Amino acid sequence: MECTADRLLGGGISLLQPRDGYRAAIDPVLLAAATPAMAGERVLDVGAGVGAATLCLAFRVPGADVTGLELQPDLAALGDRNIRGNRFEDRVRIMTGDLLSPPPELAGTAFDRVMTNPPFQKAGTHTPAPGASRAMAHGEGAADLSAWVDFCARRVKPRGTLTIIHRADRLDELMALLHGRFGAITLIPLWPRAGQPAKRVVVTARKGARGPAVLSPGLVLHQADGRFTSTAEAILRDGAALAP
């Protein structure tokens, strides 16, 4: 597999990723920034790919223990290389496995935080991306959004949190899947520019909570000239948290 050597968080994270397959953009960085983990907590990244969100979370929260789960063995192998390349072997790992039939070592494990960047496209509603790996990353397969949420719900501790980044136009579906299992939901719209509709939303929900949902002011990503806003720059380059 031909790879490129890229950087995240202003060079704080080095990342090998396929030249022609799925390539991490800003979504995994924002996902990790919005996950409210603390030192000493255990975090699970579902659909970890080559470890972009996994590594960004480990970088931002020293002392957090982070596990990634990835379906595609070649991406998981690159993730292992990225963990070693960033010297996180003592507290970060990526497992190869399917959330529909997870590795036995995950079966009895509960995590303080679970985060996930599931495929955005609903099965049967889009033209698959070219290349098998990219198609799997962008479009749902056997595991639809309901299966992703169900797996994550079973892996997070009571009162622990689930953080998901997804398309804004699937928010109603996502909220319905969270209902009854999660509460105290915080929604962070991601505005491409001021005055434009949000295309992405980050949702954090607490398992077993009963508090009302909160719609935050959100994050404007770009200025009128296309440059990142200062708040987005602090998150994407400096490793700041994405606060509600």
Side-chain angles (χ1 to χ4, degrees):
M1 179 189 302
E2 187 175 1
C3 298
T4 61
D6 302 299
R7 295 277 179 174
L8 300 175
L9 299 181
I13 294 295
S14 60
L15 193 75
L16 293 172
Q17 52 184 343
R19 181 179 296 277
D20 298 322
Y22 172 76
R23 296 179 59 79
I26 66 173
D27 288 351
V29 185
L30 295 169
L31 174 65
T35 299
M38 296 181 290
E41 292 187 333
R42 302 187 66 186
V43 182
L44 176 64
D45 179 15
V46 183
V50 299
T54 306
L55 293 167
C56 287
L57 191 284
F59 179 91
R60 186 175 68 81
V61 188
D65 184 275
V66 192
T67 299
L69 177 66
E70 172 51 42
L71 175 63
Q72 300 184 57
D74 52 348
L75 297 187
L78 275 180
D80 286 335
R81 291 177 62 185
N82 287 327
I83 291 168
R84 295 193 300 272
N86 289 280
R87 299 181 179 179
F88 283 138
E89 303 98 315
D90 59 331
R91 59 189 181 92
V92 181
R93 69 210 57 82
I94 290 183
M95 300 179 182
T96 303
D98 186 342
L99 64 86
L100 295 176
S101 181
E105 52 266 50
L106 281 183
T109 305
F111 294 82
D112 301 287
R113 318 285 176 183
V114 175
M115 61 181 185
T116 186
N117 179 13
F120 286 162
Q121 302 288 349
K122 196 176 184 70
T125 64
H126 69 291
T127 301
S133 179
R134 187 178 297 178
M136 291 176 68
H138 288 285
E140 293 177 354
D144 60 7
L145 184 57
S146 177
W148 283 73
V149 171
D150 183 64
F151 174 77
C152 292
R154 287 184 281 112
R155 294 281 66 81
V156 67
K157 292 179 178 179
R159 313 300 293 183
T161 59
L162 167 61
T163 300
I164 304 176
I165 186 168
H166 216 293
R167 286 172 37 157
D169 61 5
R170 295 189 69 183
L171 180 58
D172 56 346
E173 180 184 358
L174 176 57
M175 293 293 285
L177 292 170
L178 295 173
H179 181 72
R181 290 184 283 187
F182 293 87
I185 298 172
T186 300
L187 302 98
I188 306 177
L190 302 176
W191 317 108
R193 288 178 174 80
Q196 293 184 348
K199 294 182 179 181
R200 300 281 188 271
V201 63
V202 180
V203 178
T204 294
R206 187 173 297 277
K207 185 176 180 179
R210 292 293 180 265
V214 174
L215 178 62
S216 84
L219 172 66
V220 178
L221 293 169
H222 297 98
Q223 303 178 55
D225 61 6
R227 292 181 299 165
F228 285 118
T229 62
S230 59
T231 304
E233 187 81 14
I235 294 168
L236 298 172
R237 309 294 183 211
D238 303 330
L242 174 52

